[in-house]
C-alpha cells in the first residue's frame, strides 16, 4: 500500500525523480478523431514524448516492483483490475481490466468481479500457439499472477499485499515452502479464496472484511501477466514484459534509455469526458472521448545526476522535469512563481502537495528514547522546521505536526502536539525533565542515516547542531540504505530518518504504521505500542470510509502525537515544470501509467526548440 | 651528467651516516625542493595543531550567513550553515594527513617485514609472500581498495567498530604494501650476500637481528622515497572514497568538501570546491617535488 | 626458456586461486550474511530463510562435514567456499539484487567502458610518448623544465576536481560539449569527447613523466650519441632509434594497462552517465550488492593475470635474459 514507502535523509535528492513516466503526445494518426489540423500523422511521423528519470529501472516484472521509477515505466505496459480516474478529485477508482466495480457480499467478504472481454495481451513471441498473436485475458490470468507473488521461491517483495487476507492463500504459500524447486510449484493448485467462476468472472473471498482491497487491485504488483511469457522467458521475464497495457517495450538500454511504443492491440479506452471544476478551463477536457493512448512513443532517458537532467530540460530536450534543489532559485521567484525568463521559454509550473509525511522515528523499545517522553518532546521542540525547509528543500514543503498529510481524508489541522513547534527554551526545560526521568545526564543519542551522500551529511550535521543548542548530544551514523533498513528492522537503530509516501488515498495507510502488532520487521518500525491506539486501529481498519471512521482516525492521531514516537518534520510539496507544448498534464498523487492520457502539440514544440 | 654510469657503491653500515649527510647536502642545493619541504612541514604542523585542538576547534560555529561569498571577513566564504570554509579547509588537513599517515604506517608495517622476510629467508616463506603479493597486485588498485573499504565498513575488528574513516585507513593500508614489499625483497636479496651481512651472521647475530639492525637501515632511503610518493596517492584516494560515501562523514575533510561542492557548483558556489582543491593541490605539489628531490638526493643512481 | 614459460603457466592458476581466496574472504567471511539485506522491507523470517538458501548462506563456510556424513564424502564440498569457487570458475555469478543476470550486466557494461577507456588509452599513449621524446631531446632546457612543471602540477590536481571543473566550465558554461549522456554506436561519439579529454588530462602528467624517464635512459645510450655524432636528423633519431629502443618498457606498461580498460573510469562514467562497468561498481556499492562487486573484482583480476602472463611469455620469447631472473 506504500510505494517505495520509506525515504531516508536523502529525501531531497529524491525530489527530482518521479517525472519519468509522464508521457505526452499529440493524438497521432492512430487515434481516431484527431482534428488538430497540423497535418496528418503520415507526414509528421510518430509523436514522441521525452522525459527522464534519475533512478535506474531494475526490472519490469510486476511481482518484483517496489520502487516508484520501475512502477512508473511498467504501469504503461501492464494493467490492473482497477485504476484511478485521471481527472476527478477526491481520488476515485474506476474499472480498468474489470468491467465494473466489484459486487461485494453482505458480510463484506466476497468480491465478485466481472472482466471486460476485450483485453488482449500484447503480441509477443511467447504466444506460440497463435503464432505470436496476443491472447485474450481471462480471470485465471489474474489468479496466476497473484500466485506468483505468493510463491515463496520467487522471493517477491510484495507478499504483504495478500498476507493473511485471502482465504487459503497463506496455505498455498506454505505449500510452496515445501516444494524443492521453483519450477515444480503447481500453479493449478486451488486456492479457496481465488476462484475463476468463468473466463470473465473472478471471485475473491477474504478472511476478514478489508474495504481497501479495491485499492490493492489498482496497485501495479497485482497486474495481470500471461503464463506463456513465464514459460517462454523464465527468469528473463523481467526484461521481456508482456502485458495488456497501452504501451509495450520497444527498446531498453539498461542504464541509459527506455522506449515504450503504442500497443496496437490495446483495448478501446477513451479519454475521460468529465473532471473536477476548472479542468475544462485548463484545457484538460480538450481530448474528451478520444481513444487512448494519445501519443505513439514514450522516450525515457535515465540520468542519475541532477544537473545534466536539468540542463537537458532547459535545452528543450525533455518535455517535463522536476527542479533540482540547487537550481531552484534560478527558476522560482521568492513569491513562488516562475521567473519571467522561464515563462518566456514557454515553461509552465505546477505545484501540488504530495501524500507524504516525513519524520525521524524513535525506536520505542530503546531504553533511552523509548521510555522518556520529555526527551522526545524536547527533541521535537528543538527542531526549527522552517529552517529545515529553507535549507534543504527550498521551502518545498510544509511543517508536519501530526501523522496525516493535509490531502488525506481525516486530516485535521487541530490535531497536533504543543511540542511539534520550535521552542528551544522550552526544549531546554524539557531536557532537564528528561534527565530527571533518565536518572542522570542524558547519554549520546545516535541517529541513523540511510545514505552517505552530501545531502545526508548536511542533514545529519544540521540535526546535531540543533540538538547541541538545547543540550542534547547527537551522534550521526551514515550507512547505505540497505544497511540502515536492516538496523531499523532488527530494532537496533535508536533514531532514524523515515517517511511514508502513501499511494492509496486512505488514512488507514498511515495509521497502520502506529499499530502495535505491526512492529518491526513490519511497517510500524518505531515499535510504537499503545493499547488505546491499537483498539482504535482494529475498528477503523475494517470500516467503510465514513464520518464515524474519521472520528476514530482523529482520536488515534491524537494519541500518537501525544506519545510522540518520532520527530515530525514535514509534508512535501512538489514543483513540476513542463513546456507548454505538453498537454493534458494534471498531477496525480496515487496513479501510475498516466502517460496514455498525455498529449503533445508537436507544432509548438517545433517552433520553440526545432524538434 | 654522467651519474647514471657511475657504479653505485653499496653503503656499509658505518658509511650510513655519511650517505644521509651527503643526501641532505644534495637536497639542500635544490632551492625549490627546500621550499616545498617547508610547505610539507607546514601542512604537518597544521595537521598536528588541528588534532591537538589548537587550531579551528571552532569549525562548527556559524560565522556568517549561508553561502556567503569569499570576502576579507570570510577568506573562502561560508557553507550551507554559515560555517567558515577556511576553517573547514584547515580542519580537513587533519583527516587527509591522518589517512595518509596511518595508511602509510600500515603499509610500511606490513610491507617492510614481509619483504625483508621473503628476501632473507627465501624458500617457502618467499614463495608464500610472493604469491600473496602477486595475488593482490592482480586486482586493480582502486577496485581492491573499494572492495576492502566496502567489506570492512560497519564490521567489527577485535571488538573495535570500524567507522567510515578507520575502514579507509585499513583499506588503503592493507592494499598498498605490495609495491614496498616487492622493493624491499629485491633490495634484501641484493644485500644479503654483501660482506657486512655475512660478517654479522658469522659473529652469531640472529637472523631477525641481522635483518632489522643491518639490512633494513640500508634500505631506509627506499622506504622514505616510496613513502613520500605514496602519500600523495593516499590523499587523492581519500577524496574518491569520500565521494563514494566510504570516507569520513562527521568531520570536514577535503574529500567531503569536494563532494559537498559537487552540487553547490551549479548554483555558483565555487569556493568550497576551490578551497579543498587548493589545499590538496598544495600538498600534492609539495610532496611531488620534494619527493623527487629526495629520490635524487638519496639514490644518485636513478638521478635524472 | 621453455621451463620458464612452463613455470609461469603453472603459476597462473595459483594466482587465480589467490584472487578467489581474497574475494571469498572479503565478501563471505568479513562481510558475512547479507540475506536480510536482500529481502527488503517487511520481509518475514521465512523469506529471509529462503534467500539464505538461494545465496547459500545456510551452508558452512569451508567444508560441509554434516552433509558428508549424510550424503557421502563428496558432499563435503557442499560449502560456501566451493560454491564460490565453482561459480567464479564457470563464470556463472548468479543474479544481482535486482534479479538481473550478472554475466549479462558485465557484458553490457564492458562495451561502454571500452568505448571510453580505449580512446583515452590510445590518446594518452600517443601524446605522452611523443611529448616525452621531444622533451628528452631538449633535456634541461626551458621546454623540458616547463613540461615537467606542468606534469607535476597536473599530477597534483585531484581527479574529481578536474572532472567537476571540466564538466562545469567546458560543458555547462561554455557549451562546447554535451554535458551528459550515452548512446551506443557512432551516434554516441559526441558524448565521449569531453570525458575522454578529461581522462587524458588526468593521466597525462604521470605518463609523460614516466616515459620521459624511459627516454632519458635510452637517450644516454651510446647508439643515440653515435647517431647524433653522425649528424643524423632529429626526427630520424627519434623514430628510428629512440622509439625502437624504448619499445620494451612502453609495451610492458601498455600490456599491463589493457585489463584496466575494462574497468573503465569509475568517476568519469559516473559523472558523464556512461553505463559501463565502473558505473556498475558504484551502483553495486550503493546497493550493497556484494555478488556484483565480487564478480567484477574477479573478472577484472583474471583479465589482468592473463595479460600479465601474455607479457611475460612474450618477453621470455624475445629476450632470453628474462628467464634467468
Amino acid at each position: 500500500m506504500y510505494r517505495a514507502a520509506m525515504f531516508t535523509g536523502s529525501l531531497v535528492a529524491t525530489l527530482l525523480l518521479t517525472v519519468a513516466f509522464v508521457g505526452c503526445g499529440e493524438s497521432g494518426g492512430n487515434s481516431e478523431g484527431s482534428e488538430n489540423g497540423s497535418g496528418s500523422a503520415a507526414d509528421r511521423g510518430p509523436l514522441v514524448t521525452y522525459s527522464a528519470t534519475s533512478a535506474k529501472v531494475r526490472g519490469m516484472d510486476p511481482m518484483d516492483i517496489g520502487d516508484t521509477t520501475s512502477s512508473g515505466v511498467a504501469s504503461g505496459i501492464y494493467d490492473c483490475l482497477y485504476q484511478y480516474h485521471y481527472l476527478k478529485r477526491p481520488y476515485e477508482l474506476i474499472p480498468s481490466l474489470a468491467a465494473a466495480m466489484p459486487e461485494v457480499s453482505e458480510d463484506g467478504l466476497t468480491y465478485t468481479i466481472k472482466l471486460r472481454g476485450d483485453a488482449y495481451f500484447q503480441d509477443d513471441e511467447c504466444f506460440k500457439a497463435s503464432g505470436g498473436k496476443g491472447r485474450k485475458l481471462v480471470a485465471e490470468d489474474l489468479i496466476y499472477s497473484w500466485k506468483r507473488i505468493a510463491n515463496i521461491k520467487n522471493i517477491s517483495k510484495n507478499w504483504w499485499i495478500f498476507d493473511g487476507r485471502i482465504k487459503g492463500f497463506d496455505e498455498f504459500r506454505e505449500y510452496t515452502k515445501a516444494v524443492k524447486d521453483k519450477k515444480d510449484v503447481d500453479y493449478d493448485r486451488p486456492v479457496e479464496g481465488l476462484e475463476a467462476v468463468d473466463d470473465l468472472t473472478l471471485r475473491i473471498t477474504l478472511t476478514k472484511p478489508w474495504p481497501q482491497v479495491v485499492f490493492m487491485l489498482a496497485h501495479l504488483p497485482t497486474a495481470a501477466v500471461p503464463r506463456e511469457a513465464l514459460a517462454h522467458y523464465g527468469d528473463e521475464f523481467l526484461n521481456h514484459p508482456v502485458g495488456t497495457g497501452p504501451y509495450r517495450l520497444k527498446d531498453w538500454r539498461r542504464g541509459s534509455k527506455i522506449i515504450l511504443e503504442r500497443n496496437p492491440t490495446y483495448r478501446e479506452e477513451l479519454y475521460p469526458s468529465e473532471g473536477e471544476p476548472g479542468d475544462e478551463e485548463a484545457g484538460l477536457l480538450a481530448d474528451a472521448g478520444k481513444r487512448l493512448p494519445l501519443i505513439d512513443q514514450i522516450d525515457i532517458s535515465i540520468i542519475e545526476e541532477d544537473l545534466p537532467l536539468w540542463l537537458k530540460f532547459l535545452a528543450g530536450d525533455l518535455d517535463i522535469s522536476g527542479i533540482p534543489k540547487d537550481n531552484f532559485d534560478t527558476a522560482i521567484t521568492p513569491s513562488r512563481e516562475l521567473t519571467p525568463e522561464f515563462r518566456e521559454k514557454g515553461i509552465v509550473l505546477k505545484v501540488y502537495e504530495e501524500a507524504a509525511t516525513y519524520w525521524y522515528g524513535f525506536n520505542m523499545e530503546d531504553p533511552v528514547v523509548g521510555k522518556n517522553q520529555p526527551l522526545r518532546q524536547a527533541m521535537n521542540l528543538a527542531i526549527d522546521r522552517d529552517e529545515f525547509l529553507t535549507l534543504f528543500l527550498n521551502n518545498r514543503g510544509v511543517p508536519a505536526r501530526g501523522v496525516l498529510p493535509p490531502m488525506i481524508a481525516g486530516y485535521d489541522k487541530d490535531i497536533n502536539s504543543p511540542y511539534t513547534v520550535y521552542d528551544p527554551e522550552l526544549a531546554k526545560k524539557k531536557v532537564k525533565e528528561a534527565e530527571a526521568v533518565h536518572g542522570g545526564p542524558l547519554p549520546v543519542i545516535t541517529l541513523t542515516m540511510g545514505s552517505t551522500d552530501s545531502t545526508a551529511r548536511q542533514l545529519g550535521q544540521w540535526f546535531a547542531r540543533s540538538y547541541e543548542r538545547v543540550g542534547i548530544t547527537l551522534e550521526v551514523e551514515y550507512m547505505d540504505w540497505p544497511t540502515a533498513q536492516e538496523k531499523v528492522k532488527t530494532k537496533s537503530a535508536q533514531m532514524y530518518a523515515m517517511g511514508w509516501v502513501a499511494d492509496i488515498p486512505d488514512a488507514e495507510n498511515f495509521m497502520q504504521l502506529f499499530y502495535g502488532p505491526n512492529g518491526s520487521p513490519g511497517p510500524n518500525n518505531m515499535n510504537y505500542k499503545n493499547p488505546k491506539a491499537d483498539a482504535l486501529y482494529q475498528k477503523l481498519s475494517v470500516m467503510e470510509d465514513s464520518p464515524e471512521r474519521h472520528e476514530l482516525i482523529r482520536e488515534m492521531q491524537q494519541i500518537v502525537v501525544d506519545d510522540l514516537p518520532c520527530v515530525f518534520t514535514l509534508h512535501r510539496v512538489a514543483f513540476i515544470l513542463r513546456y507548454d507544448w505538453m498537454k493534458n498534464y494534471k498531477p496525480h498523487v496515487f496513479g501510475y501509467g498516466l502517460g496514455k492520457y498525455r498529449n503533445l502539440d508537436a507544432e509548438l514544440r517545433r517552433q520553440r526548440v526545432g524538434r | 651528467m654522467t651519474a647514471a654510469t657511475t657504479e653505485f657503491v653499496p653503503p656499509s653500515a658505518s658509511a650510513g651516516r655519511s650517505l644521509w649527510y651527503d643526501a641532505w647536502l644534495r637536497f639542500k642545493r635544490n632551492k625549490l625542493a627546500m621550499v616545498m619541504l617547508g610547505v610539507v612541514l607546514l601542512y604537518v604542523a597544521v595537521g598536528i595543531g588541528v588534532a591537538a585542538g589548537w587550531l579551528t576547534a571552532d569549525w562548527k560555529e556559524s560565522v556568517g550567513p549561508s553561502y556567503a561569498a569569499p570576502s576579507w571577513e570570510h577568506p573562502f566564504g561560508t557553507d550551507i550553515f554559515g560555517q567558515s570554509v577556511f576553517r573547514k579547509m584547515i580542519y580537513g588537513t587533519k583527516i587527509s594527513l591522518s589517512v595518509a599517515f596511518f595508511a602509510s604506517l600500515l603499509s610500511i608495517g606490513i610491507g617492510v617485514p614481509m619483504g625483508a622476510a621473503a628476501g632473507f629467508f627465501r624458500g617457502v616463506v618467499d614463495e608464500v609472500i610472493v604469491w600473496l603479493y602477486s595475488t593482490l597486485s592482480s586486482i586493480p588498485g582502486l577496485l581492491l581498495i573499494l572492495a576492502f573499504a566496502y567489506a570492512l565498513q560497519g564490521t567489527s575488528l577485535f571488538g573495535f567498530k570500524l567507522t567510515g574513516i578507520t575502514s579507509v585507513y585499513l583499506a588503503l593500508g592493507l592494499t598498498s604494501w605490495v609495491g614496498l614489499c616487492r622493493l624491499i625483497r629485491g633490495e634484501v636479496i641484493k644485500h644479503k650476500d654483501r660482506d657486512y651481512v655475512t660478517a654479522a651472521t658469522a659473529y652469531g647475530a640472529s637472523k631477525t637481528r641481522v635483518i632489522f639492525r643491518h639490512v633494513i637501515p640500508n634500505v631506509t632511503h627506499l622506504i622514505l622515497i616510496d613513502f613520500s610518493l605514496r602519500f600523495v596517492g593516499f590523499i587523492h584516494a581519500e577524496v574518491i572514497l569520500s565521494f563514494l560515501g566510504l570516507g569520513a562523514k562527521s568531520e570536514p575533510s577535503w574529500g567531503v568538501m569536494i563532494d559537498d561542492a559537487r552540487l553547490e557548483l551549479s548554483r555558483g558556489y565555487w569556493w568550497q570546491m576551490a578551497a579543498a582543491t587548493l589545499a590538496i593541490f598544495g600538498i600534492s605539489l609539495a610532496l611531488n617535488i620534494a619527493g623527487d628531490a629526495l629520490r635524487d638526493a638519496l639514490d644518485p643512481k636513478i638521478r635524472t | 626458456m621453455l621451463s620458464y614459460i612452463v613455470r609461469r603457466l603453472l603459476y597462473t592458476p595459483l594466482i587465480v586461486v589467490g584472487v578467489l581466496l581474497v574475494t571469498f574472504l572479503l565478501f563471505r567471511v568479513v562481510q558475512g550474511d547479507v540475506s536480510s539485506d536482500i529481502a527488503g522491507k517487511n520481509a518475514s523470517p521465512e523469506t529471509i530463510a529462503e534467500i539464505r538458501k538461494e545465496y547459500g548462506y545456510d551452508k558452512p563456510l569451508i567444508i560441509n562435514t554434516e552433509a558428508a556424513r549424510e550424503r557421502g564424502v563428496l558432499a563435503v564440498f557442499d560449502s560456501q567456499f566451493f560454491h564460490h569457487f565453482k561459480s567464479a570458475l564457470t563464470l556463472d555469478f548468479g543474479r544481482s539484487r535486482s534479479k538481473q543476470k550478472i554475466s549479462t550486466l558485465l557484458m553490457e557494461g564492458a562495451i561502454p567502458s571500452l568505448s571510453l577507456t580505449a580512446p583515452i588509452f590510445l590518446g594518452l599513449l600517443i601524446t605522452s610518448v611523443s611529448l616525452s621524446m621531444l622533451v628528452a631531446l631538449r633535456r634541461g632546457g626551458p621546454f623540458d623544465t616547463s613540461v615537467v612543471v606542468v606534469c607535476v602540477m597536473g599530477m597534483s590536481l585531484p581527479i574529481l576536481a578536474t572532472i567537476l571543473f571540466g564538466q562545469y566550465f567546458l560543458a555547462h558554461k561554455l557549451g562546447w560539449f554535451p554535458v551528459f549522456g550515452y548512446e551506443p554506436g557512432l551516434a554516441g561519439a559526441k558524448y565521449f569527447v569531453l570525458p575522454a579529454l578529461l581522462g587524458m588530462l588526468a593521466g597525462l602528467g604521470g605518463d609523460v613523466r614516466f616515459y620521459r624517464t624511459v627516454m632519458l635512459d635510452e637517450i644516454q645510450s651510446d647508439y643515440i650519441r653515435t647517431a647524433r655524432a653522425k649528424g643524423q636528423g632529429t626526427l630520424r633519431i627519434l623514430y628510428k632509434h629512440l622509439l625502437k629502443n624504448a619499445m620494451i618498457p612502453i609495451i610492458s606498461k601498455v600490456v599491463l594497462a589493457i585489463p584496466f580498460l575494462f574497468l573503465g573510469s569509475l568517476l568519469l562514467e559516473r559523472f558523464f552517465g556512461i553505463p559501463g562497468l565502473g558505473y556498475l561498481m558504484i551502483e553495486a556499492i550503493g546497493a550493497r550488492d556484494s555478488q556484483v562487486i565480487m564478480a567484477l573484482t574477479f573478472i577484472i583480476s583474471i583479465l589482468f593475470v592473463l595479460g600479465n602472463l601474455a607479457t611475460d611469455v612474450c618477453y621470455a620469447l624475445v629476450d632470453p635474459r628474462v628467464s634467468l631472473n
Side-chain angles (χ1 to χ4, degrees), chain A residues 22-98:
Chain A
V22 290
C24 54
E26 190 167 276
S27 42
N30 302 2
S31 80
E32 289 140 65
S34 149
E35 290 160 343
N36 301 63
S38 46
S40 71
D43 37 78
R44 274 199 322 246
L47 279 160
V48 185
T49 178
Y50 301 90
S51 55
T53 170
S54 55
K56 238 179 198 176
V57 171
R58 304 183 182 287
M60 297 195 203
D61 184 347
M63 173 186 90
D64 284 323
I65 284 178
D67 62 298
T68 44
T69 309
S70 307
S71 299
V73 177
S75 54
I77 301 170
Y78 291 101
D79 279 324
C80 298
L81 283 169
Y82 295 98
Q83 61 185 335
Y84 288 90
H85 192 285
Y86 183 45
L87 299 175
K88 280 190 187 162
R89 302 289 182 276
Y91 292 99
E92 188 181 309
L93 286 178
I94 54 168
S96 177
L97 288 176

Side-chain angles (χ1 to χ4, degrees), chain A residues 574-590:
Chain A
F575 280 59
I576 299 294
L577 299 184
R578 69 173 198 279
Y579 283 96
D580 53 1
W581 61 70
M582 190 187 170
K583 303 290 181 194
N584 296 348
Y585 174 75
K586 180 166 181 173
H588 198 296
V589 189
F590 302 103

